């Protein structure tokens, strides 16, 4: 041993002894508690320690970084967060394990300690000098704040935020023919509470308050306004033309129809269109005639079609699901949607006169595969990779087959036309589903109106009128003011606060609920109409708008909590706890006030905008 020792460098002996000490401490620590402080995993770094780096520095660089990550467990594929109660119960299971011996050995500056929360329960924290550190998993739940670990320039950093929602920057003065708020960022059709886009009506069916699916005017107006706004803000789409029977130019693919035995495709002249079209005829037993498409870039398909018999137009897609083929069938019946094996069916009605069918194949595929009997569409990762071919069955005519990147204006006019067709004689769009706003409010029975629906419908119809100059859209918007003049109990949408201030109810409940965001949307619709209809036709809309703005300015302080905003005034009407607005509703309130401030320079809007924006970053009103 003496000879062996003489041959071994003294530094090497120190390292070996230190390693044995660490192993001993680790084993002792493991036996005493599963919650022990973790030691550096890279023991090779210990050699650097004895070259002058120092235990204290190395302890901070390696160990503290790991423990900070443990304390701030967010952003990196975390498991579902436990509740605050579950968290402190789990914490209390582990005994205190802070060991001064461990800390001294590794040069660590902290020790674990119990933290008593409100004399109610205890959680594990850490003390480092005069600072106390609490786990972010607890902070996040307790204070309802947000954080994640993000990487910049190869380094991790922790990003903390008081709220999760953002405010958009206005483009300038609001105009009835411009972008509607920030709706260019809305994607109504992909919401899990949208069952599908109807093949007959071309608008979304909602499952928000019932799994059966129903037409919800607010959702339909938002669908139209979002596509209108996208059309103004996005680049023109790329469009591939596959069939124009009238003529073929350089932009038209020279694809030929494939006709199995007994099937025919011919070019005929259509008097109603004053142009040539393709006529197809297929026996019932056949697989139909088909046109190869082979488009792997874009997935919005459009074609003009007219059927003489029952039939279908089908589109075959290669998908990301192991390259399997799925087929979407657009059938001349009234079935809403069906899914079996790898076939998805949408009813498009009889189509016995010429009409254009425009479909988003991505949406149609995902809604079909995700079809369920619940309120929410099941999530699926299946996506189309390529549009393989189009198949026609039955007897009819087809023309103008195209595939494009987007098709915003057909979606906008589908919504606008639905609103015109489905407005009742009182000027409203009845909502045919029961709505229970909350305890203390009477249920709204099917057939109720919503001021938010009326307002957003007006904003949609005004834009359709300004684009086309077709009077039918303006007339529909003008008729939509009638429910504003009727009280809720008289099947209208008007409430009166404190017998003085007129308010247009998103939910015309008894007692009144005074929902803020829905009221402001109703005002935007009135503004669009009064600005578009002119002084004579828009007189009623102007009067209603001015009365509403007077109420908004007077009642706005009632929605300020000093740290956020309130969704409605149920605490005043029912004597219950306030219904605090989620951060996304809070930012909606801000965005709405920003828009109004571009057409009304009242100081109250600027004052409230400044304060409400500060709440997003933890600002608070002054205390006494």
């Amino acid at each position: 041993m003496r000879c062996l020792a003489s041959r071994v460098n003294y530094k090497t002996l120190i390292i070996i002894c230190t390693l044995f000490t660490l192993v001993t401490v680790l084993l002792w620590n493991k036996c005493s508690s599963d919650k022990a402080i973790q030691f550096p995993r890279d023991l090779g770094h210990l050699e650097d320690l004895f070259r002058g780096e120092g235990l204290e520095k190395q302890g901070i660089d390696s160990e503290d970084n790991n423990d900070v990550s443990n304390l701030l467990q967010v952003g990196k594929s975390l498991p579902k967060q436990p509740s605050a109660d579950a968290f402190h119960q789990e914490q209390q299971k582990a005994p205190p394990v802070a060991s001064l011996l461990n800390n001294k050995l590794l040069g660590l500056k902290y020790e674990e300690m119990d933290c008593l929360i409100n004399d109610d329960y205890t959680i594990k924290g850490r003390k480092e000098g005069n600072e106390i550190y609490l786990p972010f998993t607890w902070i996040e739940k307790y204070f309802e704040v947000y954080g994640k670990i993000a990487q910049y320039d190869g380094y991790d950093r922790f990003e903390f935020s008081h709220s999760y929602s953002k405010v958009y920057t206005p483009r300038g003065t609001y105009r009835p023919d411009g972008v509607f708020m920030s709706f260019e960022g809305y994607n109504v059709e992909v919401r899990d509470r949208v069952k599908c886009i109807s093949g007959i009506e071309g608008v979304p069916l909602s499952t928000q308050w019932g799994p059966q699916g129903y037409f919800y005017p607010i959702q339909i107006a938002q669908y139209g306004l979002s596509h209108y706004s996208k059309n103004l803000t996005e680049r023109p789409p790329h469009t591939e033309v596959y069939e124009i029977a009238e003529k073929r130019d350089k932009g038209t693919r020279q694809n030929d129809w494939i006709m199995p035995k007994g099937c025919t495709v011919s070019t005929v002249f259509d008097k109603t269109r004053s142009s040539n079209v393709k006529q197809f005829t297929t026996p019932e037993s056949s697989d139909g005639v088909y046109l190869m498409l082979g488009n792997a870039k874009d997935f919005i398909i459009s074609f003009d079609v007219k059927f003489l018999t029952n039939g279908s137009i089908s589109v075959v897609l290669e998908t990301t699901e192991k390259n399997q083929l799925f087929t979407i069938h657009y059938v001349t019946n009234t079935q809403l949607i069906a899914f079996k094996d790898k076939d998805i069916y949408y009813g498009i009605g009889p189509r016995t006169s010429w009409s254009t069918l425009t479909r988003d194949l991505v949406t149609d595929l995902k809604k079909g595969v995700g079809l369920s009997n619940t309120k929410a569409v099941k999530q699926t990762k299946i996506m189309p990779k390529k549009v393989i071919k189009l198949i026609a069955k039955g007897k009819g005519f087809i023309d103008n087959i195209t595939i494009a990147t987007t098709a915003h204006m057909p979606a906008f006019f589908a919504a606008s036309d639905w609103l015109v067709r489905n407005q009742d004689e009182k000027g409203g769009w009845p909502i045919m589903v029961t709505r229970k706003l909350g305890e203390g409010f009477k249920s709204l029975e099917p057939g109720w109106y919503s001021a938010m629906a009326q307002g957003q419908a007006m904003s949609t119809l005004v834009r359709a009128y300004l684009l086309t100059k077709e009077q039918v859209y303006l007339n529909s918007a003008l008729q939509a003011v009638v429910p504003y003049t009727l009280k809720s109990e008289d099947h209208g949408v008007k409430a009166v606060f404190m017998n003085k201030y007129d308010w247009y109810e998103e939910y015309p409940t008894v007692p009144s609920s005074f929902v803020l965001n829905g009221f402001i949307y109703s005002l935007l619709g009135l503004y669009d109409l009064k600005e578009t209809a002119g002084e004579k036709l828009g007189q009623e809309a102007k009067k209603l708008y001015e009365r509403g703005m007077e109420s908004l300015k007077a009642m706005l302080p009632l929605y300020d909590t000093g740290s956020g905003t309130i969704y409605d005034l149920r605490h005043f009407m029912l004597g219950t706890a306030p219904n605090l607005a989620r951060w996304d509703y809070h930012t909606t309130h801000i965005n709405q006030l920003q828009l109004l401030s571009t057409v009304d320079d009242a100081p109250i809007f600027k004052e409230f905008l400044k304060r409400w924006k500060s709440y997003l970053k933890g600002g608070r009103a002054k205390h006494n």
Side-chain angles (χ1 to χ4, degrees):
M1 286 297 292
R2 187 177 302 170
C3 294
L4 177 63
S6 65
R7 295 178 184 179
V8 178
N9 186 286
Y10 75 95
K11 288 187 177 180
T12 305
L13 282 174
I14 293 174
I15 292 172
I16 293 170
C17 292
T18 304
L19 286 172
F20 277 110
T21 303
L22 284 175
V23 170
T24 303
V25 171
L26 282 170
L27 290 172
W28 174 85
N29 208 30
K30 177 68 176 176
C31 294
S32 63
S33 172
D34 289 333
K35 300 290 184 178
I37 298 173
Q38 297 177 12
F39 292 90
R41 295 177 183 176
D42 188 0
L43 296 178
H45 288 171
L46 289 173
E47 187 174 352
D48 293 330
L49 296 182
F50 291 96
R51 289 176 180 168
E53 292 295 325
L55 277 168
E56 182 173 313
K57 182 177 184 298
Q58 183 67 17
I60 293 172
D61 288 347
S62 64
E63 183 65 18
D64 281 18
N65 285 344
N66 288 337
D67 286 313
V68 169
S69 297
N70 291 335
L71 282 174
L72 308 177
Q73 298 178 51
V74 292
K76 287 192 172 181
S77 302
L78 299 178
K80 187 176 180 181
Q81 299 286 355
S83 66
D85 288 342
F87 180 87
H88 78 75
Q89 288 171 7
E90 180 64 25
Q91 289 262 311
Q92 287 177 322
K93 292 178 183 178
V97 295
S99 170
L100 292 176
L101 175 61
N102 292 348
N103 291 342
K104 288 179 179 179
L105 282 170
L106 290 178
L108 302 178
K109 288 187 173 182
Y110 66 80
E111 58 181 294
E112 286 197 4
M113 67 183 305
D114 288 339
C115 299
L116 180 62
I117 308 299
N118 295 327
D119 286 330
D120 190 16
Y121 58 88
T122 301
I123 66 170
K124 298 296 180 185
R126 286 181 177 171
K127 180 183 178 184
E128 184 176 324
N130 294 324
E131 289 286 355
I132 303 298
Y133 295 90
L134 299 177
F136 189 74
T137 48
W138 177 82
I139 292 173
E140 186 177 32
K141 294 291 183 182
Y142 189 83
F143 292 101
E144 293 187 24
V145 291
Y146 309 89
K148 64 179 180 180
I149 296 175
Q151 193 171 79
Y152 287 86
D153 299 327
Y155 294 94
D156 285 348
R157 75 179 186 190
F158 185 73
E159 297 180 344
F160 174 91
S161 59
H162 193 76
S163 62
Y164 59 79
S165 192
K166 305 297 181 183
V167 175
Y168 81 93
T169 303
R171 290 182 171 79
T173 302
Y174 176 72
R175 302 194 322 271
D177 64 345
V179 172
F180 188 81
M181 284 190 54
S182 57
F183 273 38
E184 73 276 11
Y186 279 35
N187 294 293
V188 175
E189 52 267 52
V190 306
R191 296 173 183 171
D192 62 2
R193 296 297 179 90
V194 170
K195 193 177 189 74
C196 67
I197 303 299
S198 166
I200 296 174
E201 301 286 354
V203 296
L205 269 90
S206 177
T207 56
Q208 189 166 346
W209 299 315
Q212 73 280 4
Y214 56 91
F215 292 112
Y216 187 32
I218 290 176
Q219 200 172 73
I220 292 169
Q222 290 181 352
Y223 177 71
L225 290 168
S226 68
H227 281 284
Y228 178 91
S229 300
K230 289 176 190 291
N231 188 64
L232 292 179
T233 56
E234 294 181 1
R235 293 182 301 178
H238 169 264
T239 302
E240 196 80 47
V241 181
Y242 290 89
E243 179 61 79
I244 297 181
E246 179 65 20
K247 61 180 180 179
R248 288 187 174 183
D249 53 30
K250 293 181 180 179
T252 304
R253 289 200 176 191
Q254 301 296 313
N255 293 8
D256 291 321
W257 288 86
I258 298 174
M259 296 167 282
K261 186 176 181 180
C263 302
T264 62
V265 176
S266 57
T267 301
V268 299
F269 184 78
D270 187 281
K271 293 181 180 180
T272 61
R273 296 168 65 89
S274 299
S275 67
N276 289 331
V277 297
K278 289 292 185 182
Q279 182 175 14
F280 59 89
T281 303
T282 68
E284 286 188 16
S285 59
S286 78
D287 293 330
V289 297
Y290 58 93
L291 182 69
M292 300 303 295
L293 302 175
N295 193 317
K297 294 181 179 179
D298 304 318
F299 298 99
I300 307 291
I301 193 165
S302 180
F303 48 85
D304 300 337
V305 68
K306 174 184 175 181
F307 281 96
L308 300 177
T309 64
N310 289 332
S312 65
I313 302 294
S314 303
V315 181
V316 180
L317 302 173
E318 181 183 330
T319 69
T320 57
E321 184 68 12
K322 301 177 181 178
N323 295 328
Q324 293 182 62
L325 300 183
F326 282 72
T327 304
I328 304 176
H329 306 272
Y330 302 104
V331 188
T332 56
N333 60 29
T334 58
Q335 184 178 38
L336 177 61
I337 182 174
F339 175 54
K340 184 178 181 181
D341 297 328
K342 295 179 179 61
D343 293 286
I344 302 164
Y345 301 87
Y346 289 89
I348 60 173
R351 303 273 173 166
T352 54
S353 58
W354 279 104
S355 62
T356 301
L357 187 67
T358 302
R359 303 297 297 185
D360 183 337
L361 297 173
V362 175
T363 300
D364 285 350
L365 174 66
K366 293 175 80 70
K367 295 296 182 183
V369 173
L371 187 63
S372 73
N373 294 321
T374 64
K375 290 182 180 180
V377 174
K378 291 183 292 187
Q379 295 298 309
T380 176
K381 294 183 179 180
I382 296 177
M383 292 286 289
K385 286 177 63 177
K386 182 186 288 187
V387 185
I388 302 296
K389 60 184 176 182
L390 178 146
I391 305 170
K393 291 183 180 181
K395 185 175 182 180
F397 306 90
I398 193 168
D399 197 19
N400 295 338
I401 301 172
T402 64
I403 296 179
T405 310
T406 59
H408 296 310
M409 294 318 289
F412 168 70
F413 280 111
S416 303
D417 293 340
W418 186 92
L419 291 169
V420 170
R421 289 195 306 270
N422 290 275
Q423 188 177 33
D424 66 15
E425 68 281 357
K426 295 181 180 179
W429 287 275
I431 298 170
M432 304 308 296
V433 65
T434 301
R435 174 70 168 122
K436 177 72 172 177
L437 188 59
E439 289 300 323
F441 293 111
K442 292 183 179 179
S443 294
L444 294 169
E445 298 300 327
W448 55 280
Y449 299 142
S450 167
M452 181 172 168
Q454 299 296 122
Q456 292 192 335
M458 286 180 190
S459 295
T460 306
L461 292 165
V462 160
R463 285 163 171 77
Y465 169 73
L466 291 172
L467 278 174
T468 66
K469 300 303 179 185
E470 293 182 16
Q471 194 66 32
V472 64
Y473 296 121
L474 183 59
N475 289 344
S476 182
L478 288 167
Q479 186 67 14
V481 304
V482 174
Y484 283 77
T485 65
L486 301 174
K487 291 186 177 181
S488 299
E489 54 265 33
D490 298 324
H491 200 205
V493 297
K494 186 174 79 170
V496 182
F497 185 75
M498 300 293 286
N499 298 317
K500 183 175 182 180
Y501 296 111
D502 288 355
W503 192 273
Y504 313 125
E505 292 270 65
E506 178 179 351
Y507 303 108
T509 54
V510 177
S512 301
S513 46
F514 300 102
V515 176
L516 180 57
N517 83 93
F519 175 60
I520 298 178
Y521 280 128
S522 76
L523 294 180
L524 294 179
L526 291 170
Y527 178 84
D528 288 340
L529 182 57
K530 81 178 184 67
E531 291 294 302
T532 303
E535 188 173 345
K536 185 177 180 180
L537 289 176
Q539 184 177 5
E540 184 69 20
K542 181 181 179 182
K543 182 177 73 174
L544 292 166
Y545 173 76
E546 290 175 349
R547 288 284 293 161
M549 287 294 281
E550 178 187 353
S551 301
L552 179 64
K553 293 170 186 177
M555 296 173 62
L556 207 52
L558 301 178
Y559 294 87
D560 193 327
T561 69
S563 60
T565 50
I566 294 175
Y567 179 78
D568 56 29
L569 296 185
R570 68 181 64 192
H571 60 294
F572 185 89
M573 302 303 297
L574 298 174
T576 61
N579 186 21
L580 301 180
R582 300 194 310 258
W583 285 120
D584 48 344
Y585 275 103
H586 179 71
T587 52
T588 295
H589 295 156
I590 293 173
N591 291 333
Q592 290 176 321
L593 291 190
Q594 282 189 152
L595 187 150
L596 288 176
S597 70
T598 69
V599 297
D600 188 321
D601 60 359
I604 190 172
F605 292 146
K606 295 180 175 60
E607 175 189 341
F608 274 75
L609 279 171
K610 182 180 179 181
R611 188 159 67 246
W612 287 5
K613 285 181 180 179
S614 76
Y615 296 160
L616 292 170
K617 295 185 177 181
R620 295 287 187 272
K622 294 180 180 179
H623 56 71
N624 59 9

